Amino acid sequence: MEETTTHTAPAVDLRAERARCERLVALALEAARAGGADAAEASASVDRGLSVTVRLGEVETIEFHRDQGIGIAVYVGRRKASASTADLREASVRAAVEAALAIARHTGEDACAGLADPDRLARDWPELDLHHPWGLDAEGAIALARACEDAARAVDRRIENSEGATVTTHDGTTVYGNTHGFLGGYETSRHSVSCAVVAREGEAMERDYWWTVARDPAELEPAEAVGRRAGERAARRLGGRKLATRECPVAFAAEVATGLIGHFLGAIRGGRLYRRASFLLDRLGEAVFPAWMAIREDPHIPKALGSAPFDAEGVATRARDLVSDGVLRGYVLDTYSACRLGMETTGNAGGVHNVLVAPSLEGGLESLLAEMGEGLLVTELMGHGVNYVTGDYSRGAAGYWVEGGRIAYPVHEITIAGNLARMFRDIVAVADDVDRRGRVRTGAILVGRMTVAGD
Amino acid sequence: MSETTHESVQAPSPSTPPAADPLQLARELILAPGGLAEPELERALGTLLGHAVDGGDLYFQLSRSESWIFEDGRVKEGSHHVEQGVGVRAIAGERTGFAYSDEIVLPALLEASRAARAIARSGGAGRVQVWQARGGHDLYRPIDPLETLGVEDKVRLLERVDAEARRQDPRVSEVIVTLAGVHEVVLVAASDGTLAADVRPLVRLNVTVIVEDKGRREQGTAGGGGRFGYGWFLEQDRALGFAREAVRQALVSLEAGEAPAGEMTVVLGPGWPGVLLHEAVGHGLEGDFNRKGTSAFTGRIGERVASPLCTVVDDGTLPGRRGSLGIDDEGTPTRRTVLIEDGILRGYMQDRLNARLMGMAPTGNGRRESYAHQPMPRMTNTFMLAGPHDPEEIIRSVDRGLYAVNFGGGQVDITSGKFVFSASEAYLIEGGRITRPVKGATLIGSGPEVLARVSMVGSDLRLDEGVGTCGKDGQSVPVGVGQPTLRVDGLTVGGTQA
C-alpha cells in the first residue's frame, strides 16, 4: 500500500550552481594570492540526487542527496598545502584558504610541487554530452524499483528473499580553476537501477545482484531485465561445491575482468611508480601483455562514464594507446608524478578516463568458454589480496566449473592465485561481451593458468 | 580476564581541566552559530512527524580533520578538512525517509524534514516527547586532538619516525609516514525525547616502507591510534615502534617463499588477525541482515555456532579505543554485547530501527559515516576472549600448517557466509615449529563453520593497534578487532603452491 506523495529532489538550478562554484573558485584563488601563495588551484562541486529502495514490494528508503564542497591547494614557493570544506559560505571558503596557507609554512620544499604546465591546459574542449537529468520523482523511482524486484522474484521459485531493488538519479556540476588563468566547469549526470535477491534451497542461501548505470536514463537497461538477471544469477549459484586444489585455466567474466584491468592501471599509476612500489616499474616500451593485445584510453566518448574534457588539474585529455602489440606504451600520470619520473603528464590527475580493451574473440562469453574447454569461470571475487609491489595475487572466488566449454556446476569457497605480471602475459583471449558500466570497458578475459585452492 | 590488561589505554596527560559537558559544547559549536536551540529542533521534528510516521531524528555533525604526509625526508603535504551538516530521518514501520543539509539553519532544517517525511502520507502535527538529555561518559575526553600538539612538534614527530625507519636497515628505500587527526562533535535529537551529544577525538599514525634488495622489492606497513590526543604516540616509544615494525615486516617479506595452496590447519596470531571474527561472524550478526533473513546466522540464536572455547563480544565501551563510542549515532549508550558465549550464539548488534522491528533492545550499534548517511547496525570493537592455551603450545601442536600473524583487509558474503581475509605476514609450521616465511595469501572459509573448527584458544588476548576501518553499503566507520592466538583445524589457504 503506497501513499507516498510526489517528491523530487530539492530543486537546484545547476547553471546557477555552476556560476556560484565559479565565483567561489575565483574567490579562493584570489584569497590565496592575497595571503601570499605564489600559485593556487581550487575545485568546487554541487551534486543533488534521489535514491529509492523497494524491498519485498514495499518501499524501504527514500533518500534525498545534496552534496557540495570546495577543495583548495596553495603553493608557497615549492611548498604545497591543501584544505577543503563542505560549507560553501564565503567566510568558510576564506577560512579554508587560510588553513591551507598556515599549513604551507610547515611543509617542505618539493621541486615538483606546482600547477600543471600552462601549455598543457585545455583551451577549448569537446561537448561530451554528459548531462542528462532524469526528472524522476520518488513515485516514479518506486515504480521502477518495484518492477525490477518483481521481475527478479518471478525468475525462480527458489528466490525467497530480497535485499531490494534500488533506483538512483544524480546530477551535478564541477568547476576547476587555477592561477594560470584556467577556469572551466561542466555538468554530469548518473543514474542506476540495481537489484540483489536471495535464492534458497534447503539450508543453503545464495545472494547475487545485477545493475545498470548510465549518464542518460535512455541508455539504462530496462528495470525488468536487471531484475531477471539478478534473479537468474542468484538461483544459478545454488548447489555450489568446493573444488580440489589444482592448477587450471581461469576465465574472468566481464564484470570481474574490469577489476583485473584495474590492477594493471593501478600498477602504471605515477604515484606507485615514483615510489618504486609497482611490479610494472621500468617496463615502459616492453611487452607486458601478449602481442595481440591492445588497450586504449579514450576520454572523449560521448555519454561515457569515464569521459572528461580536462583532468583534475585542467590538463586537456586526449585519446592514446596504453598498450599496443602487447607493449606498454604509456603510464597514468599527473603533473607531480610525471615530474618525479622526468616525464610529462598524461592528463590523468584524478584517475583514468575510458579504458578500452580490444576483444580478440567474437561470440561473447560462450566462445571464450569454448576456447577454455575445461577450467574455472569466475563471476565473483572477494577481498583485497593484491600486492602491487610484487604483483602477487590471491583472492577469494566464486563461479562455475566449466567442462567441454560449458558450465558444469557452481563452485564457491575457493581462492585463485598467481602473479599479475605472469597473468597478464598469460592472457589467452578477450571476449566481445564488453561491460560498459564503468571506466574500464572489457569483455571476459581468459588467463591460461592459475592456482585454484579448495579442499 | 586478561583482556583488560590491553584495554588500559589512557588519555595522555592526567592533569587536564575537568571535561566540558559534550551537550553544552555541541550546542555552542553546532546549533548556536545558526541560531538553533531546542525549540527549533522541536519544530523540525514536529514537521517530520505525522500520524503515519513512528518517529524521527536529527543528527548534527561538525568535524574538522587534518593529515600530514611525510615522504622523501620532508613534509610533502598537509591538508585540512571541515565538514558539517544535519541528517534528518523519518521512520514509518520498516520505511525510512532521509534527507540532509550542509547548512545548519532553520529553513534548511525544515526543508530536509519535509523531504524526509515523503516516506509517509503528510499528516497532522506530531509532538516531540519531553527532552531527556543524556549524560557524558569517561571512555575518552571531549578534546580537540588537533590542538594537542603544536605544528612544529607534529613535524618533529614525523621526522623522527622517518629517521627511525631509515636507520633500521640500508635496504629501506622509501618511507611514507602519515599523521591524521579528527575532531568530531555530534548531537542527536530524536522524537522520543533523546537529546545526546558526543565529542569524539580520533588520531592515527601510519608508516609504510618499501625495501629493495637485489632487484626484489617488498612493502611493510604498521601504525596505530585511538580516541585521544597526539601525545599518545610520544609515550612508550609507540611511534618509533611502528617504524621498526613496518621495516621488520618488509624485511620478512624479502625472505618469503611461495605460499601453500589448499585446506590446512591455520594458527592465527593475536590482535589484528581478529579481522577473522569481524568478517566470519561479526557482519553476519548485525541486526539488519537478521531481521531481513539474509544472514547465514538468521534465526540461529541459542544454537551452537562455534567450539565451546569461543566467546565473542562487541564492546563499544573500551576506554580510548578506535572503535569505542560514548553514545552511538542514534544517541544510545554503547555497551558490551555478547555475540557468542562458549560457542552458543547469544545476540545480535542492533540499531533502533532493527531492534524495534525485531522486538529486541538497541545495543548501541547504530552508526553512520556522517550526517549524509543513514545509521545502520555496525560493529564497534569486536573480539574473542582469552582461552586456556599457552600460545607456544598451540604452535607445537601443529605438525604442518600456516602461522599467520598480520593481515590486510577482509570481506564477507553475509548470505552464503563465505568470508576471506588476506594474510600479509605468514610462516610455515613444520613439525610443531615455525620454519620459514611465506608470501601473503588470502584465506577463505565459511562463517557459520569456521569457529566450530577452533580447537585451541590462547591466553594471550590482544586488541589491534587502532587503524581498522570497516565498510558496509558504501559507509566507512572506524572499528577495532582483537583475539588471542587461535588454532583453526582447516581453512583454505590461497597460495600458489598446489
Side-chain angles (χ1 to χ4, degrees):
Chain A
M1 215 175 61
E2 274 327 306
E3 284 129 318
T4 306
T5 50
T6 298
H7 275 80
T8 52
V12 179
D13 175 353
L14 284 184
R15 259 171 213 283
E17 291 294 343
R18 163 135 52 127
R20 180 161 76 118
C21 287
E22 285 173 352
R23 276 198 309 277
L24 290 170
V25 165
L27 179 139
L29 298 179
E30 205 183 283
R33 275 230 159 115
D38 297 291
E41 56 190 329
S43 174
S45 66
V46 172
D47 183 269
R48 62 180 172 187
L50 169 70
S51 166
V52 167
T53 299
V54 166
R55 178 172 174 267
L56 297 176
E58 297 289 335
V59 177
E60 188 171 65
T61 60
I62 301 177
E63 290 189 27
F64 298 97
H65 300 260
R66 191 178 188 285
D67 297 296
Q68 58 179 33
I70 184 166
I72 298 138
V74 301
Y75 301 90
V76 178
R78 290 287 174 179
R79 298 161 181 267
K80 181 185 181 184
S82 59
S84 61
T85 173
D87 176 354
L88 293 190
R89 283 173 299 185
E90 272 194 34
S92 308
V93 173
R94 288 183 192 281
V97 172
E98 274 163 31
L101 288 167
I103 290 171
R105 287 198 288 273
H106 301 281
T107 54
E109 289 280 334
D110 186 337
C112 285
L115 302 177
D117 185 337
D119 296 341
R120 300 297 307 275
L121 298 175
R123 297 272 168 240
D124 44 58
W125 47 84
E127 166 53 46
L128 298 176
D129 201 16
L130 304 178
H131 188 226
H132 294 266
W134 198 345
L136 187 71
D137 63 16
E139 274 191 330
I142 290 166
L144 265 182
R146 189 172 278 146
C148 178
E149 197 201 31
D150 285 350
R153 293 169 71 197
V155 160
D156 191 300
R157 60 177 172 75
R158 296 171 298 174
I159 306 293
E160 283 192 359
N161 203 346
S162 171
E163 287 186 0
T166 299
V167 174
T168 70
T169 170
H170 279 267
D171 70 336
T173 184
T174 309
V175 169
Y176 169 83
N178 65 30
T179 51
H180 283 328
F182 183 93
L183 185 67
Y186 56 96
E187 283 71 56
T188 61
S189 56
R190 186 183 177 93
H191 320 287
S192 72
V193 178
S194 61
C195 184
V197 289
V198 175
R200 174 194 282 273
E201 195 156 57
E203 288 287 285
M205 288 199 294
E206 293 288 351
R207 167 197 180 275
D208 214 325
Y209 60 97
W210 198 246
W211 80 103
T212 177
V213 56
R215 296 208 181 273
D216 180 350
E219 293 195 344
L220 291 171
E221 259 183 80
E224 293 82 358
V226 171
R228 273 195 301 277
R229 190 83 183 260
E232 285 162 9
R233 286 173 65 92
R236 208 166 66 154
R237 287 175 70 152
L238 286 168
R241 314 177 198 170
K242 279 181 89 164
L243 286 172
T245 301
R246 69 188 68 192
E247 284 194 7
C248 66
V250 174
F252 291 75
E255 63 269 23
V256 290
T258 53
L260 191 59
I261 298 302
H263 299 322
F264 161 66
L265 298 170
I268 58 169
R269 258 184 45 204
R272 286 217 169 84
L273 294 168
Y274 82 73
R275 294 185 178 103
R276 305 181 60 76
S278 166
F279 65 95
L280 291 180
L281 185 65
D282 301 329
R283 299 293 306 278
L284 199 64
E286 292 181 21
V288 169
F289 288 96
W292 51 267
M293 261 188 85
I295 304 177
R296 279 182 66 71
E297 183 184 28
D298 186 351
H300 296 167
I301 302 172
K303 292 187 181 181
L305 289 160
S307 290
F310 49 83
D311 77 357
E313 297 177 314
V315 170
T317 51
R318 56 186 173 79
R320 61 177 180 135
D321 287 334
L322 289 172
V323 172
S324 64
D325 304 323
V327 173
L328 179 60
R329 305 290 180 186
Y331 290 146
V332 173
L333 308 176
D334 59 10
T335 297
Y336 180 80
S337 61
C339 169
R340 292 293 302 268
L341 293 166
M343 303 175 87
E344 291 272 312
T345 176
T346 57
N348 290 109
V352 294
H353 307 290
N354 305 296
V355 172
L356 294 76
V357 182
S360 69
L361 201 62
E362 289 180 356
L365 181 61
E366 243 175 67
S367 50
L368 191 87
L369 297 185
E371 170 98 18
M372 177 166 75
E374 183 171 296
L376 176 68
L377 166 63
V378 173
T379 56
E380 186 173 282
L381 287 165
M382 290 175 79
H384 317 278
V386 177
N387 183 334
Y388 281 99
V389 179
T390 59
D392 290 329
Y393 180 99
S394 166
R395 301 184 72 191
Y400 300 88
W401 183 249
V402 174
E403 283 170 3
R406 288 167 185 275
I407 286 175
Y409 51 84
V411 294
H412 63 195
E413 205 178 329
I414 54 175
T415 61
I416 57 172
N419 180 279
L420 284 167
R422 281 195 292 274
M423 287 159 63
F424 292 155
R425 277 200 306 272
D426 211 14
I427 290 177
V428 177
V430 179
D432 62 355
D433 57 337
V434 178
D435 188 332
R436 292 185 167 77
R437 297 173 298 178
R439 284 165 181 253
V440 175
R441 295 182 169 197
T442 179
I445 293 178
L446 175 58
V447 174
R449 188 149 291 266
M450 292 183 72
T451 305
V452 175
D455 283 328
Chain B
M1 299 291 294
S2 62
E3 81 270 13
T4 54
T5 58
H6 292 280
E7 293 162 19
S8 59
V9 175
Q10 293 299 326
S13 141
S15 59
T16 46
D21 170 24
L23 195 53
Q24 197 45 42
L25 211 58
R27 280 195 189 99
E28 283 164 24
L29 289 173
I30 304 181
L31 299 183
L36 301 180
E38 274 89 332
E40 287 75 23
L41 305 188
E42 282 168 28
R43 197 172 150 198
L45 285 168
T47 302
L48 204 57
L49 295 177
H51 64 274
V53 173
D54 301 330
D57 58 8
L58 314 173
Y59 178 83
F60 295 88
Q61 181 193 10
L62 172 62
S63 91
R64 204 162 66 84
S65 55
E66 67 172 3
S67 83
W68 298 87
I69 301 170
F70 196 93
E71 193 177 341
D72 303 317
R74 61 180 171 240
V75 178
K76 186 186 160 204
E77 210 181 318
S79 65
H80 183 265
H81 179 65
V82 175
E83 202 175 341
Q84 64 166 46
V86 54
V88 180
R89 186 165 63 136
I91 295 172
E94 296 188 32
R95 304 178 187 183
T96 303
F98 180 65
Y100 55 89
S101 166
D102 34 34
E103 290 172 86
I104 303 181
V105 292
L106 189 61
L109 186 57
L110 294 179
E111 185 188 317
S113 301
R114 280 191 292 270
R117 197 182 58 189
I119 195 67
R121 76 196 92 178
S122 45
R127 266 193 75 82
V128 180
Q129 304 290 304
V130 175
W131 293 120
Q132 288 179 299
R134 205 140 268 165
H137 57 81
D138 52 11
L139 304 183
Y140 41 85
R141 292 183 304 128
I143 54 167
D144 178 354
L146 280 57
E147 304 298 330
T148 56
L149 207 58
V151 179
E152 276 84 6
D153 291 325
K154 289 173 192 168
V155 173
R156 206 160 324 156
L157 171 62
L158 291 165
E159 286 168 348
R160 286 177 56 214
V161 172
D162 174 80
E164 184 72 5
R166 290 182 189 278
R167 112 190 149 77
Q168 296 305 306
D169 197 286
R171 291 170 290 180
V172 174
S173 62
E174 294 280 334
V175 178
I176 305 162
V177 191
T178 307
L179 183 70
V182 187
H183 178 227
E184 183 181 75
V185 183
V186 303
L187 185 148
V188 184
S191 56
D192 67 355
T194 298
L195 185 65
D198 199 11
V199 179
R200 300 166 172 172
L202 189 64
V203 296
R204 185 170 57 81
L205 186 135
N206 279 85
V207 189
T208 296
V209 303
I210 304 280
V211 295
E212 213 163 335
D213 187 28
K214 304 181 199 88
R216 183 167 171 177
R217 284 183 302 276
E218 293 284 353
Q219 179 175 302
T221 173
R227 297 198 180 279
F228 26 69
Y230 289 124
W232 186 77
F233 297 115
L234 303 173
E235 296 163 13
Q236 298 170 26
D237 198 32
R238 283 189 187 102
L240 302 188
F242 296 141
R244 292 189 291 270
E245 172 61 12
V247 174
R248 186 196 65 75
Q249 284 180 27
L251 294 178
V252 168
S253 291
L254 277 181
E255 310 296 325
E258 296 297 312
E263 193 172 304
M264 64 195 66
T265 298
V266 175
V267 176
L268 299 168
W272 180 246
V275 69
L276 162 85
L277 304 169
H278 180 98
E279 305 296 353
V281 297
H283 279 297
L285 298 178
E286 290 167 341
D288 45 354
F289 301 120
N290 289 282
R291 170 175 68 82
K292 296 175 185 177
T294 56
S295 166
F297 290 99
T298 301
R300 298 192 62 183
I301 284 190
E303 288 183 24
R304 173 162 298 286
V305 295
S307 90
L309 295 166
C310 299
T311 293
V312 181
V313 302
D314 182 81
D315 192 344
T317 71
L318 308 180
R321 283 279 156 191
R322 181 173 164 86
S324 295
L325 292 173
I327 52 166
D328 72 3
D329 296 328
E330 297 180 302
T332 308
T334 56
R335 63 180 213 190
R336 181 182 183 109
T337 302
V338 177
L339 305 175
I340 295 170
E341 186 177 26
D342 302 328
I344 308 294
L345 182 59
R346 290 296 179 205
Y348 301 133
M349 289 165 278
Q350 297 286 14
D351 62 0
R352 289 188 176 202
L353 172 73
N354 289 286
R356 179 173 58 80
L357 293 172
M358 292 182 81
M360 294 179 169
T363 57
N365 289 91
R367 302 185 63 187
R368 59 206 297 176
E369 180 176 308
S370 78
Y371 68 89
H373 300 84
Q374 289 195 53
M376 54 185 161
R378 301 296 296 264
M379 286 173 259
T380 59
N381 304 295
T382 312
F383 55 97
M384 184 185 290
L385 303 193
H389 299 101
D390 173 9
E392 290 186 9
E393 174 198 347
I394 297 178
I395 306 266
R396 276 200 305 273
S397 76
V398 178
D399 184 49
R400 182 177 176 274
L402 189 77
Y403 178 53
V405 293
N406 269 303
F407 281 83
Q411 193 182 331
V412 61
D413 176 331
I414 304 297
T415 304
S416 69
K418 305 292 182 271
F419 72 94
V420 296
F421 59 137
S422 299
S424 56
E425 180 183 355
Y427 303 82
L428 286 184
I429 307 177
E430 293 167 300
R433 287 178 45 244
I434 294 167
T435 52
R436 56 199 165 86
V438 293
K439 288 185 174 202
T442 288
L443 278 56
I444 189 164
S446 168
E449 291 165 22
V450 67
L451 293 191
R453 299 185 184 178
V454 171
S455 59
M456 298 174 93
V457 176
S459 54
D460 56 342
L461 170 63
R462 232 167 65 196
L463 298 179
D464 72 286
E465 298 284 358
V467 293
T469 297
C470 168
K472 175 178 171 184
D473 278 357
Q475 292 195 39
S476 295
V477 296
V479 295
V481 297
Q483 67 177 29
T485 297
L486 294 185
R487 175 181 158 146
V488 184
D489 293 344
L491 253 183
T492 297
V493 177
T496 52
Q497 211 74 329

